[in-house]
Amino acid sequence: MSLPDQSQAALEWRDGAIPVSTRFDDPYFSLANGLEETRHVFLRGNRLPARLRDGFQVAELGFGTGLNMLALALIVPEGMRVGFTSFEAFPMSAPEISRALEAFPQARAIADPFLAAWAAGQTRFAFGPLEVEVIIGDARDTLAAWPGKADAWFLDGFSPAKNPELWGEDLMAQVGAHTAPHGSFATYTAAGFVRRNLSAAGFEVTREAGHGHKRHMSLGVRNG
């Protein structure tokens, strides 16, 4: 599937640098160093890179700026190939992503091949050690049709208070159904209903210290 010519993200820019969704009234990344939050929540929360191996599959709800994908690419050992599938309802344009990534020089330094593919309308492409697929559309519709199973999930939708649809019981059940045995998830939120939905989906859910000003985050491992 190719991307539309016009951005669907509905953005405004805070301080000229931070993209904020006007649809959900929520920023795309932490105001206190989004790259470090990605590393703390999604990488360490899923015990990466220690668990990585050839053919390891990462899946994500909420592609956004691609920052999590870039952070993952930076830690994959040389010679290893890892799958990365992300579900995104309202994709940003390549110029918007490029502007947002200027806040993170380490990620921006490797982003040009990704941005070129994105600008060309590609939603499936090789990016360094990653085989990337971005599935455009509402994850409540698209995840059920995905044939894959993730070894690790990055649950990175907008805040549950602003975007509860992306954290509902039915969608979290699909996350569980599309997780490999003993696969994991990590997310920045510790909202009670999210934790309950993930527990009902078959995960053993725990709460740990969050990043920056956020007191808690959630992570878990699928039982069996």
Side-chain angles (χ1 to χ4, degrees):
M1 178 178 181
S2 62
L3 293 166
D5 292 335
Q6 189 171 0
S7 170
Q8 299 180 46
L11 300 181
E12 63 182 18
W13 295 85
R14 186 173 299 170
D15 300 325
I18 299 168
V20 178
S21 168
T22 59
R23 184 178 284 106
F24 298 107
D25 187 29
D26 210 22
Y28 273 79
F29 45 73
S30 168
L31 307 186
N33 197 332
L35 182 55
E36 285 307 310
E37 181 174 47
T38 284
R39 288 168 169 156
H40 178 85
V41 175
F42 300 113
L43 302 185
R44 296 188 189 106
N46 281 294
R47 295 188 290 113
L48 305 179
R51 294 173 58 218
L52 293 177
R53 52 172 169 73
D54 266 330
F56 192 89
Q57 176 67 51
V58 175
E60 174 185 60
L61 294 184
F63 184 69
T65 64
L67 183 61
N68 297 339
M69 178 194 71
L70 294 164
L72 177 64
L74 286 166
I75 66 164
V76 176
E78 187 174 354
M80 189 178 291
R81 303 299 298 172
V82 170
F84 183 86
T85 299
S86 187
F87 297 83
E88 174 60 58
F90 305 108
M92 296 172 68
S93 69
E96 289 169 339
I97 291 174
S98 180
R99 179 179 175 182
L101 292 177
E102 293 298 330
F104 311 109
Q106 189 178 9
R108 182 62 186 84
I110 67 167
D112 280 348
F114 151 52
L115 291 169
W118 201 248
Q122 297 175 32
T123 55
R124 296 178 67 111
F125 51 91
F127 175 65
L130 305 181
E131 296 294 335
V132 178
E133 177 183 26
V134 182
I135 298 174
I136 306 300
D138 190 324
R140 292 174 294 177
D141 301 322
T142 58
L143 177 52
W146 183 50
K149 289 203 171 185
D151 297 294
W153 276 95
F154 299 170
L155 301 182
D156 196 22
F158 289 110
S159 163
K162 305 289 182 66
N163 185 203
E165 296 85 358
L166 204 62
W167 305 91
E169 184 176 3
D170 289 347
L171 185 53
M172 293 302 97
Q174 286 295 331
V175 168
H178 288 83
T179 302
H182 309 297
S184 63
F185 81 85
T187 180
Y188 63 85
T189 183
F193 84 94
V194 173
R195 290 161 50 81
R196 289 190 295 273
N197 289 345
L198 285 161
S199 180
F203 291 97
E204 183 177 340
V205 180
T206 59
R207 189 173 67 173
E208 294 196 0
H211 176 263
H213 68 279
K214 294 180 180 177
R215 292 180 58 196
H216 298 115
M217 57 178 273
S218 302
L219 51 86
V221 175
R222 181 161 175 76
N223 299 314

